[in-house]
Amino acid sequence: MNNKPNTITFWAIGDLHLSLGLHESKQKPMEWFGEQWREHTVKIARSWCEHVQREDVVLLLGDLFWGNRVEEAQFALNWLGCLPGRKVMIRGNHDNWWQSISKVREALPEGMYAIQNDCVVIGGVAIAGTRGWTYADPEGPEHQEKMLRREYARLEASLSQMPADAYYRIAMLHYPPFSGQTLEPTIAAMLEAHQIDCCVFGHLHGEDAAQFRSIEKNNIKYVLASADNIDFSPLAIYNYQYNHDPIGND
């Protein structure tokens, strides 16, 4: 029997902004947002297949698909399901197709998981998350406070599901847990209380992303992984060693 440790790599990428399977009239050409987005779906698939192995895990940080109904998202979900590795996803602010969590989960191919008020455990790694919210809400401070309270509650519900014996703990957010360059204290306190090792997020693009630098504070790594900021290639965030077959009912 071979007891040599093997490795699962945990990768992260957000803001795929897929139009796959949408009627032409509903598609959103992403090159409108810059030449770097031209054929971005091809770039993602090529790099994903070059780096991600079957036993790996890819964290999808929201803004996955432009459609408005889960039925419209089925083609894109199946496309993601055909890429190597298992996938864990959260909702982004543009994921209008993600409405009923039960319908979302019914639509997911094997090996894909959606987090909402709960967590996923793969091997010894616990993964929790929520969408989060902006700290510059255009609808004003009252709406911002309402949305933040809801997202704080959802994050706490998700984090509280993590098992006490988890070897490594990852929190996924779509919106960054920062106001400008300042770490938001409410989320930071929750992550610290639940002994999170890494918080990974997306949403930022262009100059906003270029100005942000991943940091480590109070033993938590805060990592930005929006697709265009990482050259449309999944970003490795953690390697987990194991002595057993990781493909199964973890």
Side-chain angles (χ1 to χ4, degrees):
M1 180 176 179
N2 183 9
N3 291 319
K4 182 180 179 180
N6 295 293
T7 301
I8 302 173
T9 300
F10 286 75
W11 307 82
I13 186 169
D15 307 271
L16 304 186
H17 290 296
L18 301 174
S19 290
L20 294 168
L22 275 179
H23 187 275
E24 185 177 353
S25 63
K26 295 183 178 181
Q27 292 184 8
K28 192 163 187 176
M30 290 301 294
E31 54 265 31
W32 291 351
F33 299 97
E35 186 62 26
Q36 72 274 20
W37 285 94
R38 186 172 298 279
E39 296 188 346
H40 78 288
T41 305
V42 175
K43 296 178 186 177
I44 290 168
R46 181 185 298 121
S47 183
W48 189 314
C49 291
E50 286 176 355
H51 295 97
V52 179
Q53 303 300 310
R54 176 175 175 261
E55 65 272 18
D56 290 347
V57 179
V58 182
L59 310 179
L60 298 171
L61 307 172
D63 281 6
L64 306 178
F65 178 72
W66 280 117
N68 293 317
R69 298 182 299 114
V70 69
E71 293 83 3
E72 292 179 324
Q74 190 66 70
F75 186 93
L77 292 173
N78 291 342
W79 181 83
L80 286 167
C82 289
L83 295 174
R86 290 163 287 179
K87 299 91 184 176
V88 180
M89 63 178 62
I90 56 170
R91 183 179 182 179
N93 60 302
H94 290 301
D95 286 317
N96 297 326
W97 62 275
W98 183 320
Q99 296 175 4
S100 163
I101 186 59
S102 60
K103 287 187 177 181
V104 170
R105 287 174 174 160
E106 287 173 2
L108 295 179
E110 184 179 357
M112 293 184 69
Y113 310 90
I115 292 178
Q116 186 167 305
N117 299 332
D118 53 7
C119 80
V120 172
V121 181
I122 298 177
V125 178
I127 308 160
T130 191
R131 174 177 57 181
W133 197 249
T134 178
Y135 296 99
D137 193 327
E139 296 191 39
E142 186 174 331
H143 183 261
Q144 176 178 288
E145 182 62 27
K146 174 185 174 182
M147 298 302 292
L148 284 173
R149 284 199 303 269
R150 185 179 74 178
E151 291 302 311
Y152 292 155
R154 287 180 172 177
L155 179 59
E156 178 62 34
S158 183
L159 293 170
S160 67
Q161 298 298 309
M162 288 182 158
D165 61 351
Y167 183 78
Y168 193 81
R169 296 163 178 259
I170 300 172
M172 301 169 60
L173 293 169
H174 176 66
Y175 284 101
F178 289 82
S179 178
Q181 297 292 319
T182 303
L183 185 59
E184 204 286 316
T186 302
I187 289 184
M190 277 193 278
L191 299 181
E192 291 167 20
H194 289 276
Q195 299 180 303
I196 296 302
D197 296 289
C198 179
C199 175
V200 62
F201 55 92
H203 185 70
L204 298 179
H205 304 286
E207 291 185 5
D208 291 334
Q211 293 173 5
F212 183 85
R213 293 292 178 269
S214 298
I215 67 170
E216 182 169 344
K217 187 171 182 180
N218 295 334
N219 298 317
I220 301 174
K221 296 177 182 178
Y222 293 88
V223 180
L224 172 63
S226 47
D228 54 324
N229 193 53
I230 54 175
D231 199 26
F232 303 97
S233 178
L235 179 68
I237 60 170
Y238 181 65
N239 292 323
Y240 172 69
Q241 290 191 336
Y242 63 91
N243 289 296
H244 58 84
D245 181 3
I247 305 297
N249 298 315
D250 285 323

